């Protein structure tokens, strides 16, 4: 099972479990996560959701080979699993906590913008390499990231695509707390247990009031980004970036300027 899900004491834990591929996410994994989150909305045994990975890696983002194999579906009228997951997380009624250790690449970082609390180990490393791949932001990150950290900081990370470490993420207000690796998961589980012990209706209503009209605005921004993202996948810049990745070389974008 490349996505492990368990429910214990009111906590639904979703665990990336593909360490041999650096927890790179396939369409099947997106579908499994979407189904688990959607089911939690009506499950009285779930009060809070905890998303985590492995001590050495949260997720390397999309499995590019699998992603490119299904890339055509991104422009179809049906909603592919990656978008199902995005909508499920955006619409989650229960609080969502993330515990991040190691690398969080691409959607590994953008999904955190939709979590209610984010805790990171001191080995965590975040990156938003969309422009580097000839693509554009996803998962409403062009809107949410600047709301969280401010425009200039968001512009630096989204335009340059350079990785940033846990302490910088904390200083930007992107994550709640940085912890030693061995303390990360126990702390996140303790925080989740605190929420699970509180009145469920109060927690859901508090989250709903805080979110206000944001979920609809996020859906609109996701739709806008997705249209551009799907179109850019077929452009020469993205093809050069993907080819360079598989050939383990630096891409050459000068020919397209």
């Amino acid at each position: 099972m490349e996505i492990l899900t368990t429910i214990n004491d009111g906590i639904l834990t979703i665990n990336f479990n593909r360490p041999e591929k650096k927890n790179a996410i396939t369409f099947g994994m997106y579908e499994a996560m979407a189904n688990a989150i959607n089911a939690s909305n009506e499950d009285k045994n779930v009060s809070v959701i905890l998303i985590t990975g492995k001590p050495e890696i949260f997720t390397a983002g999309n499995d590019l080979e699998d992603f490119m194999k299904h890339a055509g579906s991104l422009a179809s009228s049906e909603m592919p699993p990656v978008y199902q997951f995005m909508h499920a997380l955006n619409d989650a009624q229960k609080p969502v906590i993330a515990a991040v250790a190691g690398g969080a690449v691409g959607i590994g970082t953008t999904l955190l913008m939709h979590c209610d609390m984010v805790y990171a180990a001191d080995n965590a490393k975040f990156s938003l390499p969309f422009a580097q791949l000839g693509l554009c932001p996803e998962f409403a990150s062009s809107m949410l990231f600047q709301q969280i950290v401010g425009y200039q900081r968001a512009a630096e990370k989204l335009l340059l695509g350079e990785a940033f470490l846990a302490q910088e993420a904390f200083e930007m207000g992107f994550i709640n707390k940085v912890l030693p690796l061995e303390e990360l998961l126990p702390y996140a589980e303790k925080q989740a247990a605190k929420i699970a012990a509180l009145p469920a209706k109060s927690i859901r209503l508090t989250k709903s009031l805080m979110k206000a009209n944001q979920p609809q605005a996020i859906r609109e921004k996701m739709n806008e980004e997705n249209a551009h993202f799907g179109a850019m996948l077929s452009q020469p810049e993205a093809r050069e970036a993907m080819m360079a990745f598989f050939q383990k070389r630096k891409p050459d974008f000068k020919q397209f300027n």
Side-chain angles (χ1 to χ4, degrees), residues 72-116:
S73 69
L74 299 180
S76 70
S77 57
E78 296 184 4
M79 188 180 293
V82 59
Y83 294 164
Q84 293 174 27
F85 167 69
M86 290 180 177
H87 284 272
L89 189 54
N90 180 47
D91 296 337
Q93 296 175 16
K94 315 292 174 69
V96 181
I97 296 174
V100 182
V105 180
I107 197 165
T109 292
T110 59
L111 75 83
L112 303 176
M113 302 174 196
H114 298 262
C115 296
D116 300 287

Side-chain angles (χ1 to χ4, degrees), residues 15 23 55 109 121 127 153-154 159 209 235:
N15 183 262
N23 285 344
T109 292
S127 60
R153 282 173 166 168
L159 292 175
L209 289 169
Q235 296 300 306

Side-chain angles (χ1 to χ4, degrees), residues 21-92:
K21 293 291 186 179
K22 297 184 178 180
N23 285 344
I25 310 172
T26 64
F27 270 39
M29 294 166 70
Y30 281 122
E31 185 173 21
M33 291 190 291
N35 290 341
I37 294 170
N38 286 331
S40 74
N41 290 327
E42 305 301 326
D43 191 340
K44 293 183 179 180
N45 293 313
V46 176
S47 298
V48 58
I49 301 168
L50 174 61
I51 301 176
T52 188
K54 301 303 177 193
E56 66 278 5
I57 184 76
F58 184 63
T59 172
N62 286 309
D63 181 310
L64 288 182
E65 186 173 351
D66 180 79
F67 191 80
M68 294 309 296
K69 184 169 64 176
H70 295 94
S73 69
L74 299 180
S76 70
S77 57
E78 296 184 4
M79 188 180 293
V82 59
Y83 294 164
Q84 293 174 27
F85 167 69
M86 290 180 177
H87 284 272
L89 189 54
N90 180 47
D91 296 337

Side-chain angles (χ1 to χ4, degrees), residues 55 97-102 118-124 126 166-167 170 175-191:
I97 296 174
V100 182
V118 181
Y119 302 105
D122 49 16
N123 72 336
F126 309 88
Q167 187 59 38
F170 174 72
I175 63 175
N176 292 79
K177 192 177 183 69
V178 181
L179 298 125
L181 177 59
E182 64 275 10
E183 296 179 17
L184 172 66
L185 191 56
Y187 186 87
E189 290 174 337
K190 182 178 72 173
Q191 296 297 88

